[in-house]
């Protein structure tokens, strides 16, 4: 399945935003699934950061290997 480039590039931000929103909801609600929101929020933020850092590292290393040799 192929995603449009704009959506693909925005996915880490969407994950992080969803996680922050869940963490804020867990902070402001008095009763209910507070622990679940905390866990899911932390997982979403972590997943977003991992995807963002892996993409950044992959692109950095690919750029190093794709450069033409200096003559």
């Amino acid at each position: 399945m192929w995603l449009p480039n704009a959506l693909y590039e925005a996915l880490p931000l969407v994950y992080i935003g969803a996680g922050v929103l869940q963490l804020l909801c867990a902070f402001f609600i008095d009763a209910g699934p507070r622990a679940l929101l905390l866990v899911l929020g932390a997982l979403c933020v972590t997943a977003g950061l991992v995807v963002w850092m892996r993409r950044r590292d992959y692109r950095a290393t690919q750029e190093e290997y794709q450069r033409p040799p200096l003559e």
Side-chain angles (χ1 to χ4, degrees), residues 13-26:
L13 296 176
V14 170
Y15 295 154
I16 293 170
V20 168
L21 183 65
Q22 289 173 358
L23 291 172
L24 287 174
C25 287

Side-chain angles (χ1 to χ4, degrees), residues 1-16:
M1 180 173 102
W2 294 97
L3 296 173
N5 195 33
L7 180 62
Y8 176 78
E9 294 296 331
L11 276 179
L13 296 176
V14 170
Y15 295 154
I16 293 170

Side-chain angles (χ1 to χ4, degrees), residues 12 14-20 22 39-50:
V14 170
Y15 295 154
I16 293 170
V20 168
Q22 289 173 358
V39 170
L40 289 177
L43 286 175
C44 283
V45 169
T46 303
L49 290 172
V50 166

